[in-house]
Amino acid sequence: MTSVALTIAGSDSGGGAGIQADLKTFQELGVFGTSVLTAITAQNTLGVHAVQSVDVAMVTAQIQAVLNDFPVKAIKTGMLFSSEIIEAVANELKAYSAIPLVIDPVMIAKGGASLLQNEAVIALRSHLLPVATLITPNIPEAEVLTGQRILTERDMKLTANRLLSMGASAVLLKGGHREDVPYAEDLFMSTSGEHFLMRSKRIATQHTHGTGCTFAAAATAELAKGRSLEESVVTAKNFIQLAIEDGIELGNGQGPTNHAAFRKRNQLKTGEVKLIERR
Ligand SMILES: Nc1ncnc2c1ncn2[C@@H]1O[C@H](COP(=O)(O)OP(=O)(O)OP(=O)(O)O)[C@@H](O)[C@H]1O
Ligand SMILES: Cc1ncc(CO)c(N)n1
């Protein structure tokens, strides 16, 4: 049977992030993608030029339309924009707690534009973090969620632990923003005690628009296929590594990654991503 995943996120007219990145990633990983739009952004590789949120009632109607009809096996949230939308999403998903839920706590686009209203951080923390099967913050997002500064690997571990104590079942803290190390290293930690770092070569490129969305969407697709959390994040890391490595130079700014790279190579490049400190 075809595996189905749902993304609840914002539209990126530039196609590299948001709903568009999620649907492309689902498709590349062999999963049927459904979507609920929370906001529309007028966006390209140079930045976010305008944002308009979707009415809360319309967000709710989309979620009901999808979940009442499709056998959704994993759900991902991305840009949620306001506390009203966060509350509505949390409320609608209450009846579906058996479906794995990946929360990508999108706050700020790479160019600096805000994709989440300041006061909505509280709603994210209180309504979605506690029901997350996996939360995938980047370093600045994890700092906002916990109030802890992250400068070192030790800080990453302390912060991931803090996010678990705030209610998430597992945390994947992305290290893309750490410029003090020559590699791109993400930390996985779960309440079951599992813990490892995923290290890959840091690629020298400015074309990293949508890396976070793509990573979380790949993990969601794998969960929809019934893979374990650990397998899903490892595949997602391989997927994003190849997508960045095979970047397609489009636009005049921070370009998108190549969502087709993983399938094109048709295999995991073993050795590309190292798992370290596995416990
Ligand atoms: N230059 C790079 N080379 C290799 N991997 C990278 C690079 N930059 C980011 N990554 C990887 O991409 C994934 C996404 O991390 P990142 O911290 O960039 O997310 P993000 O800031 O949420 O992205 P965005 O906001 O653009 O969606 C992580 O697995 C990270 O290790
Ligand atoms: C719509 C949207 N969602 C998420 C991001 C974060 O990459 C973005 N730039 N745009």
Side-chain angles (χ1 to χ4, degrees), residues 9-12 17-20 39 41 43 48 78-79 104 106 108-110 115 209-213:
S11 163
D12 167 13
I19 286 275
Q20 289 79 359
T41 69
Q43 189 173 177
V48 177
M79 174 185 180
D104 185 17
V106 170
I108 295 170
K110 283 221 165 84
L115 302 176
H209 178 75
T211 48
C213 305

Side-chain angles (χ1 to χ4, degrees), residues 108 110 138 174-177 184-186 200-203 208-213 215 237 240-241 244:
I108 295 170
K110 283 221 165 84
N138 62 25
K174 297 172 291 188
H177 291 248
E185 187 171 84
D186 306 335
S200 65
K201 191 178 86 199
R202 176 177 290 277
I203 301 154
T208 55
H209 178 75
T211 48
C213 305
F215 177 91
K237 178 71 173 164
I240 194 61
Q241 184 74 15
I244 300 173

